[in-house]
Amino acid sequence: MSDFIQSWDKKGSEPVRRPLWTLPSAFAVFLALGASAAAWGAALPQLRQRYDLGPTGGEEVISAFNLGALVAVLGCGLAARYLPPRPTLAGLLAAFGCGLVGAAQAPNWGFLLVSALVAGVGFGGVALHLNTTYAAGPRGVLLANLVNAMFGVGAIAAPLLVAGLSASTALMSIAAVVALSVPLVSGAVRERPPTPPVGRATVVLLAPFALIGFLYAGVETSAGAWAGTHLTWTGTAPDTAARLTALFWAGLAVGRLLVPLVATRPAVIVPTAFAVTTAGLLLATHPPLAVVGYAIAGLGLAPIIPTALAWLAHLTPHAHLAGSALLTCSMLGSALHPLLVGLVASPQHPTTIPLALTTYAVLGLLAALWTARHRTPHLAGTTQP
């Protein structure tokens, strides 16, 4: 096996070589990213009891985490030309780990919210840097999905840790995994080459992808936050519901491993993924099939964001800014959508949760179909990855 993974710069003239020894660290950090994303929703029942938040309170912690991520992704994207990649990544990893430790040891609800915000800043910045790195190049669809499969593995593990141990132990464990990602700072991140000025054409290109990211987040984050509550409201014990939500995240992990093996065209993958997600969520409206429905929805969602990032990387030389726009809108959706679902969710009508998620999936399908028709690589003079 070659000693290096090779991708190409936007001019296609020089190979960018990344040593294979950085891959285990990349897997570790994506494992931690996925676990942190899933842990908050799975931990909500415990947090409600610990901090006396009532039967439907606590979703603020998820929004705080995602708000921090939104700020980081937006800031890092806009300031990409001025931020040295390695020191920036080191600081973001530190914020991520320290925020998780603070949340695990929080003496009160306010302290926990601040810690979640700090952890979210680290989460968002790290996710942008690494997703952009692995999405670029002729094998962007494969590599982006592969590292994000580890995100799904971490998301599977987090609910199991929360249910089997405690929310605090789960957060401390995730922080420990973050420490394993330190080699990424020196190995996987490189200086970015100069890019042409951003013009109106770039903004027009990014708009539909931004909408896809926003609607995708409406499903993924809200499902992660509310699936356990939905199962609980339909008669499942809280600890069992936390374990069963791992199947949703299992679908995310499996889908990211399988999809690049059977398809390589982003314009086909993304709309199909939204269609599968819609079918799974409709299935979840029937209580006996809810767990299966959420697993199918996770399988459908799996390739959307990493494939869209690779799609964008082959449409524009502004890969970092494009990734920032996509992830910013995704993070904005992650901060907003759980609260919106909470406004319509009702213990008396548990089906309101999967129906709200289905609405996002259908809108995402429509956006993906339009983008596949109007934003194909030949329009920009490039080739399909």
Side-chain angles (χ1 to χ4, degrees):
M1 190 174 185
S2 172
D3 289 337
F4 295 89
I5 285 181
Q6 183 170 289
S7 62
W8 299 85
D9 65 9
K10 288 290 140 188
K11 296 180 181 179
S13 58
E14 297 182 5
V16 177
R17 296 164 70 83
R18 296 190 181 91
L20 279 180
W21 59 263
T22 64
L23 279 179
S25 295
F27 290 155
V29 74
F30 273 90
L31 190 75
L33 291 171
S36 63
W40 304 109
L44 270 182
Q46 292 185 22
L47 295 177
R48 286 169 182 149
Q49 293 180 359
R50 180 176 176 181
Y51 296 101
D52 193 21
L53 304 176
T56 60
E59 66 271 10
E60 299 91 352
V61 70
I62 300 171
S63 293
F65 178 79
N66 287 298
L67 179 61
L70 168 64
V71 171
V73 171
L74 181 60
C76 290
L78 294 176
R81 293 187 175 189
Y82 312 104
L83 295 176
R86 291 178 181 175
T88 301
L89 181 59
L92 291 167
L93 287 169
F96 188 28
C98 292
L100 292 171
V101 171
Q105 304 298 322
N108 55 60
W109 183 242
F111 192 96
L112 189 146
L113 289 178
V114 172
S115 297
L117 182 70
V118 173
V121 169
F123 173 96
V126 170
L128 172 63
H129 277 268
L130 297 186
N131 271 299
T132 303
T133 296
Y134 287 101
R139 292 183 291 178
V141 171
L142 174 62
L143 290 178
N145 277 280
L146 182 61
V147 293
N148 275 280
M150 295 305 297
F151 182 102
V153 172
I156 297 167
L160 299 178
L161 282 173
V162 170
L165 299 173
S166 68
S168 295
T169 302
L171 294 174
M172 291 295 292
S173 299
I174 298 168
V177 173
V178 173
L180 301 176
S181 64
V182 172
L184 281 172
V185 174
S186 61
V189 179
R190 62 184 177 86
E191 295 295 328
R192 289 178 289 275
T195 56
V198 177
R200 179 178 178 275
T202 300
V203 176
V204 172
L205 170 69
L206 295 181
F209 288 94
L211 180 60
I212 286 174
F214 182 75
L215 294 170
Y216 168 90
V219 183
E220 186 197 87
T221 308
S222 298
W226 286 98
T229 300
H230 174 228
L231 295 175
T232 301
W233 287 351
T234 57
T236 306
D239 286 349
T240 302
R243 292 186 180 93
L244 291 175
T245 58
L247 294 176
F248 169 76
W249 301 105
L252 282 171
V254 172
R256 285 168 181 161
L257 290 172
L258 294 181
V259 168
L261 300 179
V262 299
T264 59
R265 296 179 58 196
V268 173
I269 294 174
V270 176
T272 302
F274 270 117
V276 173
T277 301
T278 301
L281 292 171
L282 287 173
L283 197 63
T285 61
H286 303 281
L289 300 174
V291 174
V292 176
Y294 283 123
I296 293 174
L299 186 69
L301 283 172
I304 293 175
I305 289 297
T307 301
L309 287 168
W311 194 355
L312 271 172
H314 287 75
L315 288 171
T316 175
H318 301 283
H320 199 77
L321 178 62
S324 173
L326 177 62
L327 294 179
T328 294
C329 288
S330 178
M331 297 297 176
L332 179 62
S334 295
L336 177 64
H337 292 309
L339 293 176
L340 295 179
V341 173
L343 292 177
V344 300
S346 169
Q348 290 74 35
H349 303 284
T351 306
T352 53
I353 293 176
L355 285 177
L357 302 180
T358 302
T359 301
Y360 291 130
V362 170
L363 293 174
L365 173 59
L366 296 175
L369 288 171
W370 187 94
T371 305
R373 182 173 181 178
H374 296 88
R375 296 290 183 265
T376 50
H378 72 272
L379 295 176
T382 59
T383 58
Q384 190 77 27

